[in-house]
Amino acid sequence: MEASTSTSSSAIRPWRTAFLSLRDEVQNSPTNTTLIHLLNTLIFSKSQTLIPAIANLPVHEVTSDAMFLVELARNLLGSRGNDDALHALVQLSQLIHYFSDRISFKMTSVTWVLVLHTFGGMVEMFLGADGVKRDNVAEFEATKQCLDTVRSLVDYNQRTIMLSDNAQLLEFLLKTVSYSQNVISPCFSGNIQGYSLESRKIGLQRSNLLEIQTTAFTMISDVFSRSGTSLQAHHWKSTVDAFRNVMDALASKSLLVENNVMDRFYTSILHCLHVVLINAKGPIQDHVAGFVAALRMFFGYGLTNNSNKSQIVYKKESRTTHVNSHSAESNSGAYVPPHVRKKNQLKDSNSLSTSDGPRGTLDYMSSDSDLSDSDGSAKGIGNFRSSKVRVAAIVCIQDLCRSDPKSFAAQWTILLPSSDVLQARRYEANLMTCLLFDPYLKARIASASTLTTMLEGPASVFLQVAEYKESTKLGSFTALSSSLGQILMQLHTGILHLIKQEKNNGLLTSLFKILTLLISCTPYSRMPDELLPTVILSLHQRIIEGFLTHSDQSGLLAVALSCLTDALSVSPSSLKVNEMFVAEISKGLNDDKASSGLLSTLLHYSRSFTNPTVSLEALQVLKAVAHNYPNIMVLCWKQFSSIICDFLDPPGSSRAGTVNSRHTVGTIGEKVLTNAIKLLDECLRAISGFKGTEDLADDKLPISPFTYDYVKVKTISSAPSYVLDGQMVASDDNSVSGSQQWCEAIEKPLSLTLFHSSSMVRAASVTCFAGITSGVFFSLPEDKQDQIISYSINAAFNDEVPSVRSAACRAIGVIACFPQALKSVEILGKFINAAEINSRHSLVPVRIAAAWALANLCDSLRHCIDRFTLERSAVDLIECSKMVSLLIDCSLRLTRDGDKIKANAVRALGNLSRFVPCSSQDVNGISATSLLQLTWEDSSWLERMVQAFLSCVTTGNVKVRWNVCHALSNLFLNETLKLQDTDWASSVFSILLLLLRDSSNFKIRIQAAAALATPPTIFDYGKSYSDVVQGVLHTLENLGSDQMFAPSSFKYRVALEKQLTSTMLHVLGLASESLDHPVHDFLVKKASFLEDWLKALCLSLVNQIEAEHDSTLNQKHETNQSEAEHDSTLNQKKEVINRAIKSLVKVYEGRNNQAMARRFDKLANAIL
């Protein structure tokens, strides 16, 4: 023990003596020259004895002495240009590195600041302008040691390192990258041909610099992995700027050097870029183009010319040996055994294996005979490393797309092919070449994932401008739309080719996902007519071939069918696809097995005996066919109906018990049956000619000669598509055939499923009634009509499941649109009570459906209430009054609900306000205008309703405000309303003018303008007439310079201009009847604008007359009815304009402005 203690003491004595002496000497603040002498004398010269002593010293003592050396190094940083100081710093970095290798230092924030600041200055001296020489290998090695020391300190202090320490560490690493980048470019410009001493030095320098950057980027990755979410934005921006400098340097070169050292370097920098991008703290758009240009160079990295034939080469450079390299020399000399060659290669592993010049196709290749059998594995490892580089680059492309998809959209033409996608790109690698030809699966999967990301998000928007043109039609300049069209064509070609050939389950699933997104993004109406049929037929062929070599056959088949659903759901529908279906049906359908016919294959896979998941997807495909190609449903109703009935009682299948079991709610069997009923619903809608249940008149402008020719067609998502290639297909009267199919459906499938134990099945069954049309409904036998009404009412009252109640309310809302269906007050009362009860339901979806049905009932009630009261007894008259009162109270209550419910409640009140009496006597003092007026006693409803409207304008969304404007239009048309006598009239007109002037939504402004034009006489405007004239005129005057609108509203600008024209002419036509002098003075003030505006209006009318006259001459087959409609509309426009001008003439004459009056009178005569 004593001997051991004595040995330990003797070992640590030199250490303590040296450091105590050094501490004593530096207390007098020696000069740097003296300090260097002290370090050489006391520390460096005795390092061989100091280092072994570490094992016997306390950790805190070694740490203290090491930090003391760091302080001394900091003092030497001011000696720039001093070779002795530089040499001392090199020795200090080496010594501190030795210390950190043998003992773990416990760091604090103070010591972190000291170390990082000092090491940062040392690296600057080692790599900066003062320290760079052609033979400065020692300084490069010292830089590596500084990084290794910091890395070991970080590894040991990971749990205690603070965010501020990480930020300083990041700054140190970024400085290191910057300094090394300044050195690495000139160092790479040298030539290393041959094996001279100079060449070996250059090779070693390059290797050291690459290792420095590799280590720095790896450490930066670790910093962002630890604290990326907590680092400040300026730190992230500095890191991105550093990356941009490095990547720009790579992109500026025409080749990528390839060897093992470069593999590690590229992998580290690309992985680090990935980590930085996924922790984005700011905009990236300024760097996207630069990063993409550099990253694209890696797409073919490591793919060599001596690959097998299936591996396509598409790079300028390759992993080859230069003609002047050592290997080439050895080939011409004496034989060198493999183990000697291997030693030589290891000895020179830091030298480059490619020249610095551009590499072409005539490079000398290392033949297989030059490598021993054992070298094959090394070659495989090299290929694996190079594949990691390609994968990392592709992942970074995906990160850029996710970080800023809008800016990334400009890179599509760079990253994706516009022609010859199935040809390998030797010099222009892109994502599709990676996906098609890369020999490594992970690289192909990464390419697929990146393509998926690119096709998601805003791609579906900007790709709508794509338009395909043949290359022969393209000029010297290719428009973006044409470029995108060509890219989409190549993507279709490449993906369909891969789907046909791919064997890997995971990649094949990704390919189907890419194709699904591609289908959703492609504007097929602007692409070749054959493209969509090609997609459908390719998918069909792949489904027929099956997936026998894959482990998950059913799963892949389901995915393929799902993709087919998207292809058949493309809108507008394809005429060629429709013709394909008609041709198949004419030959006969066979659902016994998958065949060459698409419909037959789908019918086969949708059968109840197939895999439930596959059957579910096949039913979805058939549903898409019924929705997008409804005209073929009559032709194949028998087969479709058979499929649906088969699910209710599949022969010899145990799944029947599963479907009908009360204990399997939500099972796959119920989902399949539910989809079968949804298919039935879609077929019935298609055969019935269903075009939507919403009131299409809501979105049209009120009847006016200036708005008559602007008709907006409203698309109803639940209605089948009757448009083929953009042309509306004329639908025949399907009431007769539809009646037959509806009877069959009610008798078997629906009679069973309406009372099914599964709520999903019941809800789908009741939803079928929401797709019936009035023509089909009244062609049904009376007992079937009663059944539909009875089923709907019972479900709305008695079913406990919210989804079923919601579906029942939807069905009631549809049937309520057929006034003849309301045969009695009793049925009307049941409908109203069902809607009212469900409007109190706790779940929002049920209340939405109930409010929608309520609004439809209010509209139908306006048309049928007089029929009830005239034909029935006084009891019915009283009941009708009670029902109207109930509807008013219910609607007013719902205006305090959510926006979707509130919008329908306002619509309901608007429908009621059209006919509910505002007083108990007729406005003219004669008999009541309706029998309801005789029994109506509620005089407060109008005041409450108007207050609700005013409240909804301030609290509701766009749809609510639009409905308020529409409801006010209805209210103004109420014949019993004395608008000029109400206290709230001015408030209502003020609200409408406010919406007309300030709303950013053009549809609201259109409806507000339409409402302002509704009052027929000047007395109805009351005191607000002056405000209305000025408000409408100012809006019309500023319409051209108005920039306050939502982008989505821009398409309604023409409609707004037409409606403002109609409203302005209406109120001007009443101006001569006004006794309000300020109005006349205002019109005199605006006479110049009005004259110019009316002249332009008259000129456009004349041009329209001439254009339609020329069109009539060219169209010999135009009907007399069409000519009459045109003439009537033009005459009405003339009349309205003339009335407005004559009114202005009277105003100007009354204000003694005869000159202006004559000018307007002349204008009036010009249009007669």
Side-chain angles (χ1 to χ4, degrees), residues 326-343:
H326 178 68
S327 297
E329 290 177 352
S330 65
N331 289 339
S332 61
Y335 172 76
V336 180
H339 68 281
V340 177
R341 292 204 305 270
K342 201 167 186 178
K343 288 182 180 179

Side-chain angles (χ1 to χ4, degrees), residues 295-301 314 390 397 415 429-431 434:
L295 291 170
R296 184 169 173 261
M297 297 176 65
F298 292 97
F299 287 174
Y301 180 82
Y314 43 88
R390 297 196 300 275
I397 292 288
L415 293 171
N430 53 60
L431 284 174
C434 295

Side-chain angles (χ1 to χ4, degrees), residues 846-915:
V846 180
R847 298 204 302 276
I848 292 175
W852 180 82
L854 204 69
N856 288 358
L857 283 166
C858 292
D859 191 30
S860 292
L861 189 60
R862 176 167 64 92
H863 297 91
C864 67
I865 191 167
D866 283 342
R867 174 166 56 85
F868 286 147
T869 55
L870 284 171
E871 297 178 359
R872 301 286 178 155
S873 63
V875 175
D876 290 342
L877 185 60
I878 296 174
E879 287 297 320
C880 285
S881 298
K882 291 180 179 179
M883 285 188 290
V884 171
S885 180
L886 176 63
L887 287 171
I888 291 174
D889 292 339
C890 181
S891 300
L892 288 171
R893 171 172 52 82
L894 292 177
T895 58
R896 298 187 293 272
D897 211 319
D899 281 336
K900 289 186 177 181
I901 301 167
K902 188 183 298 184
N904 281 304
V906 170
R907 184 164 69 92
L909 289 173
N911 291 331
L912 291 171
S913 66
R914 182 72 175 269
F915 70 95

